[in-house]
Amino acid sequence: MGKKIRCLFGTDGVRDVANKGVMIPEMVLRLARAYALFLAERGIPKPTIAIGTDTRLSCQMLQSALEAGFMSAGADVMLLGVIPTAGVSFAVRQYELAGGAVISASHNPAEYNGVKFFDKRGVKLSDDDEAAIEEYLGDSMLDEWRPTGASIGVSIEAEDSIGDYVKYMLAKVDSFSLSEYKMVIDCANGAMIKSAKDVFEALKPKKAVFLGDKPDGLNINEGVGVMFIETCQEAVLKEGADFGVAFDGDGDRVLFVDKKGRLINGDLILWVLARWLKKKGALGSGVVATVMSNMALEEHLNKEGIPLFRCPVGDRYVYETMQKTNSLLGGEQSGHIIIKDYVQTGDGLCTSLMFLRACDELGLPISELNDEFSPYPQLLQNVRVSSKDKILSHPAFLELLREYERKIEGRGRLFVRLSGTEPMVRILLEGKGLDLGSLAKELVSQIHKIDKELDEVI
């Protein structure tokens, strides 16, 4: 039997401009009913499902739709409020729930929103599970299945889900202290604000400066967080801080800045964590990274005798590959990191704490990591297109990619993928001794030409 095809779900759930397309309340309500039916047909007729949100203005509207859909389908709801994505995963496990839902569009601008689901393990659903939920959306049973009386679901608010999440995180660092450090923490005006403040202040740093901690519903990721890392870099230099920590809107990603204002990305974080976990005997078979990770990561891990397994972009695929390879560490260059002994999904707070602890225990100065790593030069380019759904399979586009792969063969690599949310083609060029700027400019020009021809045909 062939693999089921998904239409609504992308790399990380269903996303769109809020109150447009697939992110209208009517669709979100049906999506909730489909997920509840999916659980019921797998032996959980009266599930309890957690809902968490980020700080977007549209979250209240979409939460109402999701909540009504779950209860209409006979599911009970536990409302967690504004909480990081990983906090929802934690709550599902901690409170032994049937599943969870996160209302967030992660790093996207405030006008976007989305829904992603967790199973009872706090793990994001597989492609096949998401495809099955989509099938329910078109099934007449979805409209006919209407519990009544005592079978209708109810909604409750969790007592202190953030407090429980914070306690869990602090227990994982035990007696670790940040008393010697001045630090900057950028919360992206998103879901991580309270968790990050509670955790980092409990570790008593010499000084902690918080950025992006005043959400107004419309400023999530706006000029702050991992998407605007220069804000954190400038603050680190201005404050004379030892390092900076930057999260994204839903808190599942984290990037660091050293005291010289240089970025420490997910590849460097994986490199440090891999050595630390190997020393503790807690690495498993190796490290999982996506196709976007720098070739230098593979070289450095090889020197440590640590295998690297590659997978598609998306922390769901990282987790699935970790399962298949028995790896206990995986992540993305963008800052999604999963340390499987602690969490079951990308968790910016857990990653930041474990990274700091690893540097401390290995005696690695954060300010020197960039000097030791020496990554291959990379250029990431987003190309806005009007025919996103057709361009990747167009013969002229495929031939263009083959042409550029031949140009850089033996010296680097080219990787191209579609954005899961926006009308963009994302290009990664990597290599030593290459004029990446000129190559990218030529490639983008050719892509625009093909896109224009496709648009005229359409």
Side-chain angles (χ1 to χ4, degrees):
M1 187 175 177
K3 190 175 180 65
K4 294 177 181 177
I5 303 298
R6 300 171 305 151
C7 298
L8 290 178
F9 286 90
T11 304
D12 200 17
V14 180
R15 287 188 196 171
D16 209 332
V17 174
N19 218 23
K20 296 283 188 180
V22 296
M23 271 297 109
I24 58 175
E26 299 91 327
M27 175 59 80
V28 172
L29 187 147
R30 286 186 65 80
L31 196 60
R33 285 178 51 78
Y35 179 52
L37 180 56
F38 168 84
L39 293 175
E41 293 223 319
R42 283 153 183 79
I44 314 175
K46 187 69 172 174
T48 300
I49 303 168
I51 300 177
T53 78
D54 66 22
T55 57
R56 293 165 207 268
L57 185 68
S58 59
C59 282
Q60 186 174 356
M61 172 185 74
L62 297 179
Q63 178 177 289
S64 296
L66 201 64
E67 190 178 358
F70 285 147
M71 292 188 292
S72 167
D76 291 336
V77 176
M78 178 181 285
L79 299 177
L80 306 179
V82 175
I83 190 170
T85 285
V88 178
S89 172
F90 166 78
V92 170
R93 302 191 312 275
Q94 178 74 6
Y95 308 139
E96 298 181 346
L97 308 181
V102 179
I103 303 172
S104 174
S106 189
H107 61 278
N108 291 126
E111 63 266 27
Y112 286 87
N113 218 328
V115 176
K116 50 192 168 188
F117 296 116
F118 289 107
D119 66 18
K120 66 181 181 181
R121 301 167 298 161
V123 176
K124 289 180 182 177
L125 300 186
S126 68
D127 287 356
D128 284 345
D129 286 343
E130 289 180 342
I133 291 170
E134 288 191 16
E135 286 183 0
Y136 285 120
L137 289 172
D139 194 321
S140 60
M141 183 189 297
L142 188 66
D143 294 313
E144 295 166 1
W145 186 46
R146 298 282 175 178
T148 59
S151 296
I152 292 174
V154 297
S155 175
I156 62 169
E157 292 189 11
E159 289 185 12
D160 190 13
S161 54
I162 290 238
D164 289 340
Y165 174 59
V166 165
K167 287 175 189 173
Y168 175 78
M169 285 295 145
L170 288 172
K172 295 302 176 186
V173 289
D174 199 14
S175 58
F176 182 64
S177 171
L178 294 172
S179 60
E180 297 179 9
Y181 298 105
K182 291 188 290 183
M183 55 195 293
V184 171
I185 302 109
D186 184 343
C187 298
N189 289 319
M192 186 59 83
I193 297 168
K194 181 166 175 51
S195 302
K197 284 190 173 184
D198 287 353
V199 165
F200 284 113
E201 287 174 354
L203 297 176
K204 304 186 184 308
K206 184 185 294 185
K207 183 180 181 182
V209 176
F210 286 90
L211 311 174
D213 62 339
K214 297 176 177 60
D216 62 11
L218 298 173
N219 63 357
I220 189 170
N221 301 313
E222 187 179 88
V224 286
V226 299
M227 300 305 292
F228 295 89
I229 196 66
E230 59 271 17
T231 300
C232 188
Q233 291 170 316
E234 290 167 4
V236 166
L237 294 174
K238 178 183 176 183
E239 298 290 338
D242 296 295
F243 60 83
V245 185
F247 300 104
D248 69 338
D250 70 332
D252 62 356
R253 288 170 56 184
V254 66
L255 297 174
F256 276 77
V257 173
D258 69 20
K259 69 179 183 181
K260 299 176 184 177
R262 297 177 297 182
L263 172 66
I264 296 175
N265 66 18
D267 286 347
L268 272 79
I269 295 170
L270 283 173
W271 179 48
V272 170
L273 289 174
R275 287 184 282 171
W276 178 61
L277 291 171
K278 182 182 179 184
K279 187 175 180 180
K280 289 162 58 71
L283 183 61
S285 65
V287 176
V288 173
T290 75
V291 290
M292 301 294 285
S293 279
N294 200 282
M295 293 163 68
L297 174 62
E298 196 161 354
E299 289 182 0
H300 282 289
L301 291 177
N302 283 339
K303 291 176 184 176
E304 302 286 339
I306 300 172
L308 179 71
F309 306 100
R310 297 272 186 174
C311 69
V313 172
D315 65 336
R316 277 186 316 132
Y317 303 118
V318 170
Y319 186 87
E320 289 173 6
T321 307
M322 289 170 68
Q323 291 283 83
K324 292 174 185 174
T325 59
N326 295 313
S327 302
L328 299 179
L329 174 66
E332 301 185 271
Q333 189 183 71
S334 60
H336 279 114
I337 308 291
I338 303 172
I339 310 172
K340 198 163 177 290
D341 276 350
Y342 303 120
V343 294
Q344 304 301 307
T345 190
D347 188 327
L349 189 54
C350 178
T351 300
S352 59
L353 294 175
M354 296 308 130
F355 173 77
L356 291 170
R357 184 177 170 188
C359 288
D360 181 69
E361 293 183 9
L362 294 175
L364 297 174
I366 294 173
S367 61
E368 296 177 11
L369 293 176
N370 270 291
D371 300 313
E372 293 182 32
F373 193 71
S374 301
Y376 281 58
Q378 280 188 336
L379 191 150
L380 292 168
Q381 188 93 36
N382 292 326
V383 187
R384 190 167 289 275
V385 294
S386 56
S387 309
K388 186 181 83 166
D389 294 333
K390 293 189 176 183
I391 195 165
L392 270 194
S393 60
H394 193 276
F397 184 76
L398 296 175
E399 178 54 39
L400 178 67
L401 296 187
R402 285 192 287 268
E403 176 190 339
Y404 276 81
E405 284 168 351
R406 288 192 292 268
K407 282 184 179 182
I408 64 177
E409 187 175 3
R411 295 182 293 164
R413 64 189 181 106
L414 165 68
F415 179 71
V416 177
R417 70 181 183 94
L418 294 179
S419 165
T421 307
E422 300 173 88
M424 287 183 180
V425 173
R426 304 197 191 281
I427 298 170
L428 167 68
L429 276 164
E430 177 181 285
K432 291 183 178 178
L434 294 170
D435 186 347
L436 299 181
S438 295
L439 284 169
K441 186 176 180 181
E442 294 169 6
L443 186 54
V444 169
S445 175
Q446 292 296 317
I447 290 173
H448 280 148
K449 182 179 178 182
I450 294 169
D451 182 56
K452 183 179 179 182
E453 291 173 357
L454 268 173
D455 195 36
E456 289 173 354
V457 170
I458 294 170

